[in-house]
Amino acid sequence: MLPAWDDAYSVHNKKIDEQHKKLFELAGYAYICADRKITRAEIKQLLSGFFNYMREHFRDEEEYMRSIGYPRLQEHQSIHQEIVQGLAEVVKNTSSTNDLKEKLGIIAKNWLLQHILKEDMQIEQYRQQKDSEKTKDSEKIGAQKAQYVCDCLNKKHSIALEVHEKISKGAQLRCKVCKQPVRFEKLL
């Protein structure tokens, strides 16, 4: 039996997740068909739908990987090509309906388990790592301060970088004691 879709398989991209859900459904149907009486025409229709949907999904998934700077994009594209070619070979080299049904069930199970649950989860791990690094970088930036001075004797003002950026763009900040505008001295 094939696993059902679970949010644990999410790559946190709505379009890709919806496509993965649909592929789970198609793969599940293909797997079930291996144990049912089904005509060659029904198998061809199922294969055609599976094929077309996979190509659309692979195109969208590759676009998503490009958008997040996924470093294994070319390797992943090769895997996509192998899946499509493998499915085409099975269809071309299978003579009986029963043999085709059996191979279709095996492909659906192996493809689903190996590709979405293994390969696509690596994309999600990369995205999570990248998001974590962005968060750490923004925390570092947020922790940085700028030092300002005013007309008070030996008075230093430690100002958050966001406020420093606003001052750099024309905003004014005055010392609460001498009431004079603060002047930038250095980044801390």
Side-chain angles (χ1 to χ4, degrees):
M1 190 69 185
L2 290 177
W5 170 261
D6 188 286
D7 285 340
Y9 309 141
S10 173
V11 295
H12 296 90
N13 176 287
K14 186 177 179 176
K15 184 176 192 176
I16 302 301
D17 284 345
E18 289 302 317
Q19 290 176 347
H20 280 167
K21 288 176 190 176
K22 178 70 173 177
L23 287 167
F24 264 76
E25 290 173 19
L26 288 169
Y29 181 68
Y31 192 69
I32 289 168
C33 285
D35 292 332
R36 285 190 11 210
K37 188 171 183 151
I38 187 171
T39 66
R40 192 164 185 82
E42 289 172 314
I43 292 174
K44 282 185 178 183
Q45 184 178 3
L46 175 63
L47 281 171
S48 175
F50 210 12
F51 231 47
N52 292 333
Y53 202 79
M54 276 192 336
R55 280 199 304 248
E56 176 186 337
H57 168 65
F58 289 163
R59 184 192 68 237
D60 292 343
E61 188 173 82
E62 289 167 9
E63 185 179 305
Y64 171 63
M65 288 185 282
R66 241 180 251 100
S67 76
I68 64 169
Y70 186 60
R72 293 184 52 226
L73 173 62
Q74 286 184 318
E75 183 181 334
H76 204 96
Q77 286 173 315
S78 295
I79 293 167
H80 285 170
Q81 289 170 352
E82 288 172 19
I83 291 169
V84 171
Q85 288 171 350
L87 197 52
E89 285 296 314
V90 166
V91 172
K92 190 169 87 175
N93 297 324
T94 306
S95 56
S96 77
T97 303
N98 285 339
D99 193 27
L100 187 58
K101 284 185 345 186
E102 183 181 327
K103 286 182 180 177
L104 182 59
I106 291 168
I107 288 170
K109 183 175 184 177
N110 289 343
W111 177 77
L112 182 68
L113 293 175
Q114 291 302 312
H115 190 72
I116 294 178
L117 303 182
K118 182 181 173 205
E119 296 297 330
D120 289 356
M121 288 298 96
Q122 290 178 12
I123 300 167
E124 174 56 10
Q125 288 170 352
Y126 172 77
R127 186 201 60 80
Q128 286 177 0
Q129 179 185 0
K130 193 173 173 182
D131 284 355
S132 175
E133 288 169 4
K134 278 183 187 176
T135 300
K136 286 178 185 174
D137 288 347
S138 68
E139 286 171 356
K140 285 179 189 174
I141 290 169
Q144 285 184 326
K145 302 275 185 180
Q147 186 170 298
Y148 279 73
V149 294
C150 64
D151 289 341
C152 294
L153 188 61
N154 296 325
K155 176 92 170 157
K156 306 284 183 188
H157 300 272
S158 181
I159 296 175
L161 216 50
E162 303 100 46
V163 176
H164 166 68
E165 288 175 13
K166 290 178 183 176
I167 294 170
S168 300
K169 293 177 183 172
Q172 275 204 348
L173 181 66
R174 294 183 178 272
C175 171
K176 292 179 182 177
V177 177
C178 71
K179 308 293 185 214
Q180 295 302 308
V182 295
R183 297 176 303 280
F184 175 71
E185 188 169 70
K186 65 181 178 181
L187 289 176
L188 301 175

